[in-house]
Amino acid sequence: MDSPGADALRWWASARVEAPLLPLQRLRMRTVAGANSVGFLLCGSFCAFVFIGTRYMLQVLGYSALKTGLALLAASRRVVLDQP
């Protein structure tokens, strides 16, 4: 995991080199911004699903930690297998 200072240094260096890996102008494109927004929303919703689903299974349904983990394994497996 990078620190904010390392990220800022990477952005600063990327703006000043002759041929950056990712030109910063691409991040201003509407389609790229939309795709990034959708990706953040999907990731956030899945994380919320795992957190709330775990709490529900443990406290409401009375599952053990092992049974809860096995129940969530099916959803996690689909996410991993559906990756291109």
Side-chain angles (χ1 to χ4, degrees), residues 13 18 69 74:
E18 189 174 321

Side-chain angles (χ1 to χ4, degrees), residues 11 14-15 20 22-30 32:
W11 281 90
S14 178
L22 174 67
L24 297 178
Q25 292 81 11
R26 286 198 184 162
L27 297 177
R28 293 186 186 132
M29 295 172 56
R30 178 178 277 183
V32 173

Side-chain angles (χ1 to χ4, degrees), residues 4-17:
D7 287 338
L9 181 64
R10 191 175 298 119
W11 281 90
W12 179 80
S14 178
R16 282 158 181 71
V17 296

Side-chain angles (χ1 to χ4, degrees), residues 13-58:
S14 178
R16 282 158 181 71
V17 296
E18 189 174 321
L21 292 175
L22 174 67
L24 297 178
Q25 292 81 11
R26 286 198 184 162
L27 297 177
R28 293 186 186 132
M29 295 172 56
R30 178 178 277 183
T31 54
V32 173
N36 284 338
S37 300
V38 169
F40 284 126
L41 288 173
L42 287 174
C43 181
S45 65
F46 183 72
C47 291
F49 160 73
V50 170
F51 177 74
I52 293 171
T54 301
R55 302 286 295 184
Y56 177 74
M57 287 185 224
L58 288 172

